[in-house]
Amino acid sequence: MKKIYIQTWGCQMNEYDSSLIANILKKKLNYTQTHHSEKADILILNTCSIREKAQEKLFHQLGRWKNLKKKNKNLIIAVGGCVSTQEKKNIYKRSSLVNIIFGPKTIHRLPKMIKEIQIKRKNIININSKKLKKYKFFKNNFKKKISSYISIMEGCNKFCSYCVVPRTRGREIHRNPQDILCEAKFLAKNGTKEIILLGQNVNSYIGTFENGLKCNLSKLIKLISNINNIKRIRFLTSNPMDFTNDLIGIYKNTPKLVNSLHLPVQSGSNQVLKKMRRKYSISEYKKIINKIKKFRPNIYITSDFIVGFPGETKKDFQKTLKLIKDIKFDISFSFIYSPRPGTSASRLKDEISLQEKKKRLYLLQREINNNIKYFSQKMIGTYQKVLVEKKIYINKKKKLFGKTENNRTVIFNGPKELIGKFSYVKISQAHMQTLRGKYKQII
Ligand code: 5AD
Ligand code: SF4
């Protein structure tokens, strides 16, 4: 049986896409997945181009695979994801090892491309498609998961000045709600307890039912929360620009919606936000959080931050630090600004030194880490509802591994029957994002 090896970088959308790639190649060509690149007949790279460093990973990896290609002349290397749609045939210019370039929208055509290359041995590039046909393959080659992603829309119409996504993933395409519900029910039937709805602008989601009625994210969450076996719902990544009162409202009466929200603010300075074309002010951002907190006073808010955006002054940066204190952001992601090809910010003069950018990143992460520590410490002695995902070994001793609502890993002793179930764990120790505890009761 032929084997594929898939290397995935980037966001959760890419992870979801990679599982679809495995499903499609299993169904159409009967390829199985291997975790050893040297055993594979096809090597697939699902790439990310959000920052330059992420993009460069592709070429480093290709360099490492030179020998595999030398040993096996029939080895096929296929490159997909956002670097493909951004760089297109330039990838062939930088590396002669690549045979296929496909994009997030042409995953469903991979079997055809692979067959063609086996016959003709001529490089293929196929990255454009108006429709998203890949999603219908979610059932094939299904692997049981306690927590599962469902991609509900992809692409972006917002054009923040720094962001490459509208160019790599294209304009927004929204899946229809029936298909999403069908996928959620299928997952629930097969052991999934937690669903994470995905989209680059997940709260801009607006699908259409077969009868023509529209379905927004809050409606979709409501419908998914009606599925009995689904006990937890998350969504990623939201944009403050589209965080409507309607979406805020569902925090009131949807207990399955977790008490944690990822709402990237990017910067604490209105001036920087304007240059980033984020189209909201800090006071508007705070208003959203305050409204949600009316229903969920203890909700954990997480964010993404960019430091060193062109023109960001020391004062602007201080405003970001202040916002982190004010909102008390929990586990968050922060990056040094990376100019991306084709974006409007890439034409701005970048006068901040790398040393200063690194310093800002360090200070920001120190502030965030203080918050993480604060929240984790506060959890000591409390009973946490933990979704138990798997067993792991620590110092050769078997332990259970689960997640709290606020995305902390909990490691504890307990019977393996708890896997796939919720249980109460009394937290006894806190190390940043990992907690230790004692199992009390199955829920
Ligand atoms: N440079 C640095 N960080 C970026 N992000 C997006 N584009 C860039 C860029 N050009 C960050 C944002 C976004 C996250 C996914 O990546 O913070 O929310
Ligand atoms: Fe990276 Fe954005 Fe593409 Fe995801 S959508 S892989 S984050 S560039």
Side-chain angles (χ1 to χ4, degrees):
M1 208 180 269
K2 298 232 174 187
K3 291 197 161 49
I4 44 162
Y5 173 87
I6 308 176
Q7 171 82 55
T8 311
W9 293 299
C11 61
Q12 292 86 352
M13 303 281 288
N14 267 16
E15 275 181 47
Y16 180 90
D17 278 352
S18 287
S19 63
L20 288 179
I21 292 173
N23 294 357
I24 290 167
L25 292 184
K26 171 81 183 149
K27 168 140 172 101
K28 298 274 180 175
L29 301 178
N30 203 21
Y31 278 58
T32 56
Q33 217 174 334
T34 169
H35 297 291
H36 305 280
S37 53
E38 64 282 4
K39 288 188 186 155
D41 303 279
I42 302 180
L43 300 170
I44 295 181
L45 290 171
N46 199 2
T47 62
C48 170
S49 66
I50 198 95
R51 284 168 292 276
E52 197 184 353
K53 257 193 188 162
Q55 178 170 339
E56 282 309 302
K57 278 187 184 170
L58 162 64
F59 299 102
H60 291 147
Q61 187 62 65
L62 288 171
R64 274 183 238 125
W65 281 345
K66 224 176 179 169
N67 280 339
L68 293 182
K69 192 95 178 184
K70 257 190 206 158
K71 272 191 222 153
N72 176 5
K73 291 271 175 290
N74 293 326
L75 181 69
I76 294 172
I77 298 186
V79 175
C82 293
V83 182
S84 288
T85 42
Q86 184 187 286
E87 293 299 315
K88 303 180 183 77
K89 59 178 190 287
N90 286 339
I91 295 174
Y92 287 134
K93 285 187 195 149
R94 269 189 77 174
S95 174
S96 57
L97 300 175
V98 179
N99 306 104
I100 294 172
I101 298 173
F102 66 101
K105 287 186 185 142
T106 55
I107 283 171
H108 63 284
R109 294 192 195 131
L110 261 176
K112 214 172 141 204
M113 292 187 233
I114 290 168
K115 272 192 188 156
E116 206 178 309
I117 205 125
Q118 282 165 338
I119 299 165
K120 294 188 192 156
R121 299 306 300 179
K122 207 172 158 228
N123 288 351
I124 295 173
I125 175 158
N126 191 323
I127 47 179
N128 291 322
S129 170
K130 282 209 174 87
K131 283 196 180 145
L132 286 175
K133 290 195 181 159
K134 61 185 174 185
Y135 291 118
K136 64 178 184 211
F137 294 95
F138 71 84
K139 267 187 199 171
N140 308 106
N141 188 32
F142 171 78
K143 281 195 196 82
K144 202 175 155 135
K145 273 193 188 151
I146 314 292
S147 172
S148 300
Y149 293 130
I150 302 182
S151 175
I152 65 169
M153 55 89 67
E154 69 177 86
C156 179
N157 299 344
K158 294 277 188 291
F159 288 90
C160 298
S161 65
Y162 53 82
C163 189
V164 81
V165 169
R167 287 162 187 87
T168 56
R169 291 261 173 179
R171 298 305 103 79
E172 288 174 9
I173 298 182
H174 303 234
R175 286 178 75 190
N176 78 49
Q178 298 94 243
D179 288 355
I180 297 168
L181 285 169
C182 173
E183 190 164 340
K185 283 177 189 161
F186 173 81
L187 292 168
K189 229 181 175 176
N190 287 284
T192 286
K193 293 281 159 46
E194 175 182 87
I195 282 183
I196 306 170
L197 300 173
L198 296 179
Q200 264 95 23
N201 263 301
V202 74
N203 57 324
S204 312
Y205 173 76
I206 183 89
T208 314
F209 283 107
E210 266 158 5
N211 61 9
L213 284 178
K214 295 284 177 199
C215 176
N216 60 11
L217 181 63
S218 57
K219 172 110 185 129
L220 188 67
I221 291 173
K222 275 277 165 214
L223 290 169
I224 292 176
S225 80
N226 288 340
I227 303 172
N228 245 339
N229 282 345
I230 299 301
K231 308 287 185 196
R232 250 185 205 174
I233 304 169
R234 302 178 190 272
F235 55 89
L236 276 176
T237 290
S238 302
N239 195 317
M241 298 177 220
D242 287 329
F243 221 94
T244 57
N245 284 336
D246 170 60
L247 187 56
I248 294 170
I250 57 161
Y251 279 92
K252 189 176 173 186
N253 46 22
T254 316
K256 288 183 182 179
L257 190 56
V258 292
N259 214 21
S260 167
L261 167 67
H262 188 61
L263 190 62
V265 67
Q266 310 297 356
S267 165
S269 154
N270 284 335
Q271 236 154 303
V272 175
L273 288 177
K274 210 165 179 189
K275 284 188 198 148
M276 288 178 165
R277 280 214 223 114
R278 290 291 285 179
K279 297 189 186 124
Y280 54 84
S281 65
I282 291 303
S283 74
E284 281 163 340
Y285 183 88
K286 284 182 170 169
K287 248 187 220 159
I288 296 170
I289 305 294
N290 289 337
K291 281 187 194 168
I292 298 171
K293 283 197 167 175
K294 274 197 187 140
F295 306 126
R296 302 282 187 97
N298 300 320
I299 193 162
Y300 292 83
I301 307 295
T302 66
S303 177
D304 294 343
F305 296 93
I306 296 176
V307 299
F309 188 78
E312 182 191 63
T313 61
K314 285 188 175 163
K315 251 191 180 162
D316 289 322
F317 178 64
Q318 287 304 323
K319 287 182 183 166
T320 303
L321 290 184
K322 183 170 179 308
L323 186 73
I324 294 173
K325 280 202 173 85
D326 289 351
I327 302 278
K328 260 211 164 318
F329 284 106
D330 196 21
I331 305 165
S332 296
F333 303 95
S334 44
F335 315 95
I336 290 178
Y337 167 70
S338 168
R340 306 310 295 129
T343 58
S344 62
S346 69
R347 292 188 290 273
L348 297 174
K349 234 188 185 160
D350 182 3
E351 282 169 336
I352 311 164
S353 70
L354 182 61
Q355 195 189 0
E356 176 64 21
K357 286 175 188 166
K358 281 185 176 168
K359 187 174 142 200
R360 290 183 195 178
L361 187 68
Y362 166 78
L363 292 172
L364 189 151
Q365 289 179 343
R366 193 174 67 177
E367 206 62 51
I368 291 287
N369 285 344
N370 284 341
N371 290 353
I372 299 175
K373 247 188 249 167
Y374 168 81
F375 287 126
S376 292
Q377 290 287 334
K378 254 180 80 169
M379 290 168 84
I380 295 178
T382 63
Y383 288 90
Q384 293 292 324
K385 204 170 160 184
V386 174
L387 178 55
V388 187
E389 290 186 16
K390 57 185 176 187
K391 61 174 192 286
I392 54 163
Y393 289 89
I394 293 182
N395 298 331
K396 292 189 184 155
K397 285 194 185 125
K398 207 192 295 174
K399 307 264 177 198
L400 292 180
F401 170 110
K403 285 276 174 82
T404 61
E405 271 199 33
N406 59 353
N407 258 324
R408 274 146 177 87
T409 297
V410 183
I411 294 165
F412 63 104
N413 291 320
K416 68 174 189 311
E417 288 68 38
L418 291 183
I419 296 171
K421 300 198 172 78
F422 284 90
S423 63
Y424 278 119
V425 178
K426 189 175 181 186
I427 305 303
S428 55
Q429 281 176 44
H431 319 266
M432 290 296 278
Q433 297 177 35
T434 310
L435 310 173
R436 297 297 175 105
K438 277 206 179 94
Y439 151 66
K440 282 290 159 198
Q441 184 194 337
I442 192 164
I443 301 171

